[in-house]
Amino acid sequence: EIIESEMDKFSHLEKNSAEFNITRTYLDWLTNIPWGVVTTENFNITSARRVLDRDHYGMDEVKETILQFIAVGKLKGSVQGKILCLAGPPGVGKTSIAESVAAALGRKFYRFSVGGMSDVSEIKGHRRTYVGAMPGKIIQCLKSTGSSNPLVLIDEIDKLGRDHRGDPASALLEVLDPSQNHTFRDHFIDAPVDISKCLFMCTANDLGRIPGPLLDRMEVIQLSGYDVPDKLEIAEKYLVPKSMVNSGLMIDESEAAKDDESGEEEKKESQDEAAEAAAEAEERLPTYQLAERVPDTLSIERSALESLVRWYCREAGVRNLQKKIDKITGLLSLQVVAEEEGAELTDKSSRKSDSWTVSSDNLHEYVGKPIFTSDRLYEKDPLPHGIVMGLAWTSMGGSALYIETQGITRGLDSDGKRRGGGTLKTTGQMGDVMKESTQIAYTVARARLADIDPTNS
């Protein structure tokens, strides 16, 4: 009805009038929204699990949630949307897992970041009376994907801004509410749009910065950081092959096979057979081999990766580990090309050993001296008196800390009494809660001392 009324209005407008262009733009958007168009979903749990495991190691809770979502859709025969929030430190794979989930479900993927966003119009669009008015990100998502059931990734939802132009967090309440978003109304479109079939995934580092009503609408999945064995598995299976392919040291045979199969699919008459072959190629695990001009002995040993994890990259995620591996493969590429051309390299870039293998012994030639030199500050147990181990939590993952105390012997004044004392001084960047905790501990210690030795002042 809206389109027909606008078309009727459009037919009576002069081409030179301002209303003509506004109405034409409005009709373009109305007709480009995929009303009721949905992509065919994948209800096969086995193939979905294979796609999720192909791209990411661990993350069992996220994978189980997606498999449950598929199972419910298969039993009901229809799929409704869902709102998930992945919370965890940087570099643990929150953003990249969303793309794998979209591939596993067979849905279109759309991502936009709301970090620093302070304008409500970015979510709900501008009113058509403004010059250069446009719909918000949600309507733009439907148009660009051509589907009413895409997977929409809202990145950095804990870093939303707020100013005189409105509060985007409040605007997202309607978008992320399953009981309201079947009649989502954009300011520009000004007609109810059903986005209840969309799967929304949000990412955040710190849940404490997300407003309570918004957090209440999402199913939160906490992603913890990776420990040493996890990082080694991720580096061996994913980071090293990916970095070597990007550096030209390896080629991905599965991608080449996929290209060959796509050429054969053009000759096939049945579209179903072509679709099945494409799905199988998508689920297939990648296989790698060294490129033609690369020496056969070129490799990065597990001992080198273990040293990287222990002495260079101790953060919760694997982003810094990937940077170090990229640095190694980049230098290896330079050395391979330089040797082939007979070019001279600087002392820093040239190869020191005869072997092309990167091990823990020659790792420092590629990434420099280690940042950390020991696992513990105090190697012997038990710890010295006055020192305890503590944990610090941050949105970056946190770390282990040693908390040290030092008592001071008070001197005597002219009357033979002890001078000063009775105070506690704390150092370090401590918040109000930590300061309060130290004062409580100090008060309890003084009360206990008074019970044990009343003469001690």
Side-chain angles (χ1 to χ4, degrees), residues 358-375:
V358 180
S359 65
S360 57
D361 298 327
N362 63 350
L363 180 65
H364 63 277
E365 298 173 10
Y366 295 88
V367 290
K369 293 182 179 179
I371 299 168
F372 306 98
T373 54
S374 64
D375 285 323

Side-chain angles (χ1 to χ4, degrees), residues 408-424:
I408 299 174
T409 304
R410 292 178 287 166
L412 302 176
D413 59 13
S414 56
D415 298 330
K417 296 180 180 179
R418 294 191 180 275
R419 291 180 297 183
T423 59
L424 173 70

Side-chain angles (χ1 to χ4, degrees), residues 263-421:
E264 292 174 7
E265 281 165 18
E266 293 175 2
K267 302 175 186 176
K268 290 182 181 177
E269 295 180 4
S270 171
Q271 291 183 352
D272 294 337
E273 289 180 13
E276 285 176 14
E280 287 175 11
E282 191 70 30
E283 293 166 15
R284 194 179 298 140
L285 289 171
T287 52
Y288 304 97
Q289 69 170 13
L290 289 171
E292 288 182 7
R293 293 178 292 177
V294 176
D296 296 335
T297 56
L298 189 143
S299 65
I300 300 176
E301 288 188 348
R302 188 179 175 89
S303 62
L305 296 176
E306 193 169 343
S307 296
L308 268 180
V309 172
R310 290 187 66 193
W311 311 121
Y312 293 85
C313 310
R314 289 189 180 179
E315 72 284 349
V318 292
R319 195 167 286 156
N320 198 31
L321 179 60
Q322 185 170 2
K323 288 178 185 175
K324 295 291 184 187
I325 292 171
D326 288 343
K327 190 174 181 181
I328 294 170
T329 55
L331 190 51
L332 284 171
S333 299
L334 176 63
Q335 291 171 355
V336 168
V337 174
E339 186 154 313
E340 186 182 332
E341 295 179 355
E344 288 188 12
L345 295 176
T346 61
D347 187 54
K348 186 178 179 181
S349 301
S350 59
R351 192 157 53 98
K352 309 293 189 299
S353 59
D354 296 331
S355 172
W356 284 99
T357 303
V358 180
S359 65
S360 57
D361 298 327
N362 63 350
L363 180 65
H364 63 277
E365 298 173 10
Y366 295 88
V367 290
K369 293 182 179 179
I371 299 168
F372 306 98
T373 54
S374 64
D375 285 323
R376 299 180 62 183
L377 187 61
Y378 299 95
E379 295 291 345
K380 295 181 181 179
D381 283 328
L383 291 172
H385 293 297
I387 298 172
V388 293
M389 174 70 86
L391 292 173
W393 180 91
T394 67
S395 60
M396 299 292 287
S399 61
L401 300 173
Y402 286 103
I403 301 167
E404 304 181 3
T405 57
Q406 179 62 56
I408 299 174
T409 304
R410 292 178 287 166
L412 302 176
D413 59 13
S414 56
D415 298 330
K417 296 180 180 179
R418 294 191 180 275
R419 291 180 297 183

